[in-house]
Amino acid sequence: MKKQAMLGKKKLDAGMVITGLIILAVYAAVFILEQIMPSTSMLFTVLKKGATYALVAVSMNLLNGFTGIFSLGQAGFMLIGAYTFAIFTIPMESRAAVYQYYNGGILGFSLPVIPALILAGLAAAFFAFLIGLPVLRLKSDYLAIATLGFAEIMRAIFQWDKLGPLTNGSNMLHTFPNFNSFNIKNAAGETTVYLSTLIPFLIAGVCIALIVLLINSSYGRALRAIKDDEIAAEAMGVNLFHHKQLSFCISSFFAGIGGAMLAMYACTVQAKSFTTAMTYEILLIVVIGGIGSISGSCISSFLFVACSEWWLRFLDEKQVIGTFEVPLLRNGFRLVVFSIIIMIVVLFFRQGIMGTKELPDLFRRRPKTASQEAIK
């Protein structure tokens, strides 16, 4: 028995080591490609948005896949995070121009990027705590509808003219730091080291690593128990409401950071951008990757963004081969093909690309059965 336990531990360690090396290789490749390829390449657009969506998808998977809470409020928490980050990082010299209809706004200071990111997550978590008090007593579809309504209410409130001195009303927030602000420049103002793509990977990587640590902790096991059987979990001493509230707030915290990253990616923030469709996109990514798989959410995020933003773009333009015009290719046809691809994936991968497996599981040998040992 001890020998089998030691072998299992070695296999586990081997899978983790290989996964770690792959992740380091990806980070190194991103850094190198950013130095040798044009900064305007569509590849970097996909990588930046993919990293942002990966974090938000993993945060949603923490609720839907590991706790069994069906929430559709991610867009609302992303909105709170995006606005919090933008409001607190706009430089003082730019506030008069940004808040031109509100006499320069009411805030008289600005924060560095990292504290603002943390504050964005905390603001989202605070609202999640308040909303969770009544909402988390609901179940299934009722919970989903309640959180979806919360996201719509937040979108309306942030565009309210009375809050204009803080949120700029229905006007855009801009001129705050973005991913390009991390590029290293020389005295002449020329960029010498590009970091605008590596930074979102680092932020998302650190946050996802924290979520993985939570899932593998005793709290994570309690959350899994709640998803499997609430009655049995409560009988074993798990406080259902406390753990649901904890999961809801932590998920919202990272969704808020994801919203701040999306603001840095877009370079502007406006409440009308955080629609219900955004939540559905994140949910779709979770389902395609595999509900209950962190690796699946990350992989499907990049595939989703690449297909929707890059690989299928040619379908929106007319294509002429000699004198023959390819039929159907026109604006909007890309979405039709993309929807068909999603249907095919869902039909043939019922549990998603990864199911409930993680990346290290792919590099572990399956233990031999008794019949295989007998044959040997």
Side-chain angles (χ1 to χ4, degrees):
M1 291 294 292
K2 288 183 178 180
K3 187 176 180 181
Q4 290 178 350
M6 290 176 67
L7 287 172
K9 190 174 181 181
K10 287 181 180 178
K11 291 176 184 176
L12 175 66
D13 291 341
M16 294 296 292
V17 168
I18 295 173
T19 302
L21 291 175
I22 291 173
I23 293 172
L24 288 176
V26 169
Y27 275 80
V30 168
F31 177 76
I32 293 170
L33 288 173
E34 196 170 12
Q35 311 310 314
I36 62 178
M37 290 179 64
S39 59
T40 54
S41 173
M42 195 65 189
L43 173 64
F44 300 125
T45 301
V46 170
L47 291 177
K48 292 172 188 176
K49 191 172 182 180
T52 302
Y53 269 34
L55 173 57
V56 181
V58 170
S59 72
M60 188 179 219
N61 211 347
L62 176 64
L63 282 178
N64 292 19
F66 293 94
T67 314
I69 299 175
F70 187 33
S71 170
L72 293 176
Q74 294 303 97
F77 297 119
M78 290 174 70
L79 182 150
I80 294 170
Y83 264 87
T84 301
F85 176 83
I87 289 168
F88 283 94
T89 55
I90 295 174
M92 292 305 302
E93 60 272 15
S94 303
R95 289 188 179 273
V98 175
Y99 291 91
Q100 56 180 325
Y101 301 109
Y102 299 99
N103 298 320
I106 60 174
L107 214 61
F109 63 94
S110 60
L111 294 176
V113 171
I114 300 301
L117 282 172
I118 297 172
L119 185 61
L122 291 174
F126 174 73
F127 276 91
F129 176 79
L130 296 179
I131 297 299
L133 292 175
V135 164
L136 290 179
R137 302 184 187 280
L138 303 173
K139 292 184 179 181
S140 187
D141 298 340
Y142 301 102
L143 175 60
I145 292 169
T147 52
L148 185 63
F150 157 75
E152 291 299 311
I153 291 170
M154 285 293 102
R155 192 155 60 94
I157 289 176
F158 274 77
Q159 295 180 92
W160 188 26
D161 190 62
K162 296 292 184 181
L163 290 178
L166 183 64
T167 64
N168 209 22
S170 58
N171 305 301
M172 281 187 181
L173 290 174
H174 52 87
T175 68
F176 48 82
N178 53 49
F179 292 136
N180 292 327
S181 303
F182 292 92
N183 292 335
I184 299 175
K185 300 181 178 180
N186 57 22
E190 299 173 344
T191 301
T192 55
V193 180
Y194 290 90
L195 298 173
S196 59
T197 307
L198 184 64
I199 290 300
F201 266 71
L202 289 173
I203 297 172
V206 170
C207 293
I208 291 172
L210 292 175
I211 294 175
V212 170
L213 289 175
L214 171 69
I215 290 171
N216 292 323
S217 69
S218 58
Y219 282 100
R221 289 190 288 273
L223 298 181
R224 288 174 187 266
I226 291 172
K227 179 193 173 184
D228 293 338
D229 191 328
E230 289 191 3
I231 297 175
E234 191 172 23
M236 292 297 292
V238 176
N239 188 322
L240 296 183
F241 182 79
H242 171 76
H243 283 82
K244 286 183 178 180
Q245 183 82 303
L246 178 69
S247 177
F248 194 56
C249 290
I250 292 174
S251 173
S252 302
F253 173 84
F254 290 110
I257 294 179
M261 290 175 63
L262 190 62
M264 297 173 74
Y265 163 79
C267 301
T268 59
V269 173
Q270 198 167 16
K272 66 180 183 181
S273 302
F274 295 85
T275 60
T276 305
M278 182 177 289
T279 296
Y280 293 152
E281 285 182 352
I282 303 301
L283 179 60
L284 183 61
I285 289 171
V286 173
V287 172
I288 291 174
I291 297 177
S293 173
I294 301 298
S295 306
S297 295
C298 295
I299 293 169
S300 61
S301 296
F302 291 99
L303 291 176
F304 178 88
V305 175
C307 287
S308 60
E309 301 284 343
W310 186 14
W311 293 340
L312 302 179
R313 279 288 180 185
F314 72 95
L315 297 173
D316 283 347
E317 301 174 359
K318 290 184 178 180
Q319 302 289 334
V320 179
I321 303 174
T323 58
F324 174 73
E325 182 179 323
V326 181
L328 298 177
L329 297 187
R330 56 178 55 88
N331 189 29
F333 188 65
R334 167 177 58 95
L335 297 177
V336 176
V337 176
F338 186 53
S339 301
I340 294 172
I341 293 173
I342 290 172
M343 290 173 62
I344 292 172
V345 170
V346 172
L347 286 172
F348 288 95
F349 296 90
R350 296 294 179 88
Q351 294 185 333
I353 295 172
M354 295 290 289
T356 56
K357 293 181 179 179
E358 298 295 347
L359 201 56
D361 297 331
L362 302 179
F363 305 105
R364 294 172 186 153
R365 287 185 177 181
R366 292 182 180 180
K368 292 182 179 181
T369 61
S371 57
Q372 289 174 330
E373 289 288 346
I375 293 171
K376 185 178 178 181

